[in-house]
Amino acid sequence: MSMYLSLSQLEAITTGANVISRENLTNRYFYDGKKPSVFLSHKHSEIAQLKRVAYLLEQLDSIIYVDWLDSSMPQTTCGKTAENIKEKIKKYDKFILVATEGAIASKWCNWELGFGDAHKYESEKIALFPIRNDGYNWSGNEYLEIYPVIGYIDTYQYVSGFGYLNTGYYVFYHYGNKKAIRFQEWLSK
């Protein structure tokens, strides 16, 4: 049993997300008026994974921020880009890194994670959403072990270190005090 979703598992769970085009992503997911709010850090070339995670968050009634949909961002990456991102990370309630292999290798995602850590870690408002490639285990840099991860339990079962858990999404704290809380509960804290 792996609590980290594979890309094919994510696709199966989020079938409604595959009909969303890049053009209407803004209108469907990224609007104000809902709580809680989430800054989504991701690899820009991995739009399909982003849309699926955004779909899950939409189902949990969340506001989602994605930098490339922000009209206030400069057309080309520069220092102003970094300033804007810092302000948005501070503004939004939660920080989630869509932790694919590509995102883990991205210098921007790592920079955002570091800044998010400084502003969200102590208040438990930061998490990784690991998505592993089919047929592979999710691998990350060792420093990522300190962050809670969002995982999916597909049937009621005993999860070593966490006890019996019902089907659903959880935030798992592996480092320090082991605990698992429902993802929706974590979002609303």
Side-chain angles (χ1 to χ4, degrees):
M1 186 274 317
S2 174
M3 68 182 73
Y4 304 141
L5 288 173
S6 69
L7 187 53
S8 62
Q9 289 170 316
L10 181 64
E11 289 169 355
I13 292 169
T14 59
T15 55
N18 63 6
V19 298
I20 306 305
S21 68
R22 183 175 175 145
E23 291 73 34
N24 71 7
L25 186 63
T26 304
N27 296 331
R28 179 160 177 143
Y29 297 114
F30 305 96
Y31 58 95
D32 288 332
K34 293 184 177 182
K35 283 285 184 185
S37 62
V38 178
F39 180 98
L40 275 178
S41 178
H42 68 288
K43 176 91 171 140
H44 281 214
S45 63
E46 298 175 336
I47 302 301
Q49 294 90 327
L50 169 71
K51 288 194 311 186
R52 292 180 184 288
V53 172
Y55 179 81
L56 292 172
L57 288 164
E58 179 189 52
Q59 301 306 304
L60 298 173
D61 209 27
S62 300
I63 300 169
I64 304 154
Y65 176 82
V66 175
D67 59 353
W68 52 265
L69 293 173
D70 184 347
S71 61
S72 72
M73 283 292 184
Q75 292 290 350
T76 50
T77 306
C78 61
K80 180 69 176 154
T81 306
E83 282 181 16
N84 287 358
I85 288 173
K86 286 169 66 172
E87 290 306 311
K88 298 299 181 182
I89 290 171
K90 287 191 264 184
K91 174 184 175 182
Y92 283 77
D93 300 321
K94 304 288 184 175
F95 178 98
I96 296 174
L97 170 62
V98 180
T100 60
E101 297 292 335
I104 293 167
S106 163
K107 66 181 179 181
W108 272 101
C109 289
N110 277 286
W111 178 81
E112 290 172 354
L113 180 63
F115 191 80
D117 177 279
H119 293 276
K120 308 288 184 192
Y121 185 75
E122 292 299 321
S123 57
E124 297 187 355
K125 295 178 182 247
I126 189 170
L128 307 179
F129 196 119
I131 301 170
R132 60 184 174 79
N133 293 327
D134 292 335
Y136 296 93
N137 287 325
W138 183 77
S139 63
N141 295 330
E142 290 78 10
Y143 65 89
L144 296 176
E145 293 175 5
I146 68 171
Y147 298 106
V149 294
I150 300 161
Y152 183 74
I153 301 299
D154 56 3
T155 61
Y156 176 76
Q157 62 189 285
Y158 180 80
V159 178
S160 181
F162 299 101
Y164 285 96
L165 298 174
N166 289 315
T167 301
Y169 289 93
Y170 291 85
V171 176
F172 294 93
Y173 291 81
H174 294 279
Y175 193 75
N177 272 343
K178 280 191 167 192
K179 64 181 177 180
I181 62 172
R182 287 248 181 217
F183 185 41
Q184 188 164 11
E185 180 184 337
W186 179 82
L187 281 170
S188 63
K189 284 174 75 177

